[in-house]
Amino acid sequence: EDAASYTCVAKNEEGYSARSDLEVSVMEPPEIVPFSFGADTVNQGEFAQLICVVRKGDEPITLNWSLQGDEVIPDPELKTTMLGTRTSMLTIPVVSYRHVGTYSCRASNPAGSVVYSAQLNVNVPPRWTVEPTDKQFAQGSDAKV
C-alpha cells in the first residue's frame, strides 16, 4: 500500500536545501452489493423495496436514488430511508403503473462513484377503456361492434 509519510528533500549547487513532509492516504471507492426487487414482475397494489448496501469504500459515502435517470424525490408513494452510513432503503408501499422503470442507487465518495440498477415491471390488471353495453339488432341485419 502507498499510504505513508513521505519526505521530499531538494538541494541546489550552492548547497541550499529545502525539505517538506507529506502524508499520503489512499481512499477506496465504494462498491455496492447487487440488489433486485425479488421478482421479474410485481403486481399492482403490492409492496416493493430495494436495499442499497455499500460493502466497501472509505467514508464519507453519499447514497442517492434515481428512477429513469431522474432523482427520486421522496413522497408518500416512494420513500427513501438511510440506515446508518452505508445503507439506503427505497420502499414503494403500494405499487402502481407509475412506478415502472429502472431504479438506480449511486454511491459516491472522494475516491469515486458507482451505480447499481434494478428494473421494476408492474403487472396491472386489464380495465375497460370504454365500458361495453348491450345492443339489440334485428334478425338478419348487419351488426357492428
Side-chain angles (χ1 to χ4, degrees):
E1 180 153 321
D2 296 324
S5 292
Y6 292 89
T7 301
C8 179
V9 178
K11 292 183 182 178
N12 66 14
E13 294 175 0
E14 302 292 322
Y16 294 105
S17 66
R19 172 188 176 121
S20 183
D21 294 323
L22 174 66
E23 190 71 32
V24 173
S25 63
V26 178
M27 291 194 73
E28 185 176 24
E31 184 178 308
I32 296 175
V33 176
F35 55 77
S36 74
F37 283 101
D40 288 341
T41 303
V42 176
N43 292 322
Q44 178 175 294
E46 291 182 346
F47 173 85
Q49 86 175 6
L50 291 174
I51 299 177
C52 181
V53 177
V54 177
R55 76 167 126 212
K56 287 164 88 178
D58 291 315
E59 293 187 14
I61 295 172
T62 304
L63 294 168
N64 299 98
W65 288 99
S66 62
L67 169 58
Q68 300 299 108
D70 295 325
E71 183 181 353
V72 169
I73 307 299
D75 64 31
E77 291 187 3
L78 194 61
K79 301 174 182 179
T80 61
T81 307
M82 282 300 296
L83 306 171
T85 60
R86 297 178 160 267
T87 304
S88 180
M89 180 171 59
L90 179 137
T91 56
I92 307 170
V94 181
V95 172
S96 76
Y97 70 91
R98 291 184 300 277
H99 298 117
V100 169
T102 302
Y103 289 82
S104 300
C105 175
R106 175 181 296 277
S108 304
N109 72 6
S113 67
V114 64
V115 176
Y116 192 86
S117 301
Q119 177 70 30
L120 177 62
N121 297 309
V122 179
N123 182 33
V124 178
R127 63 179 177 86
W128 292 108
T129 53
V130 176
E131 187 75 30
T133 58
D134 292 335
K135 300 284 183 190
Q136 294 183 357
F137 298 95
Q139 185 174 352
S141 66
D142 291 338
K144 292 185 180 178
V145 181

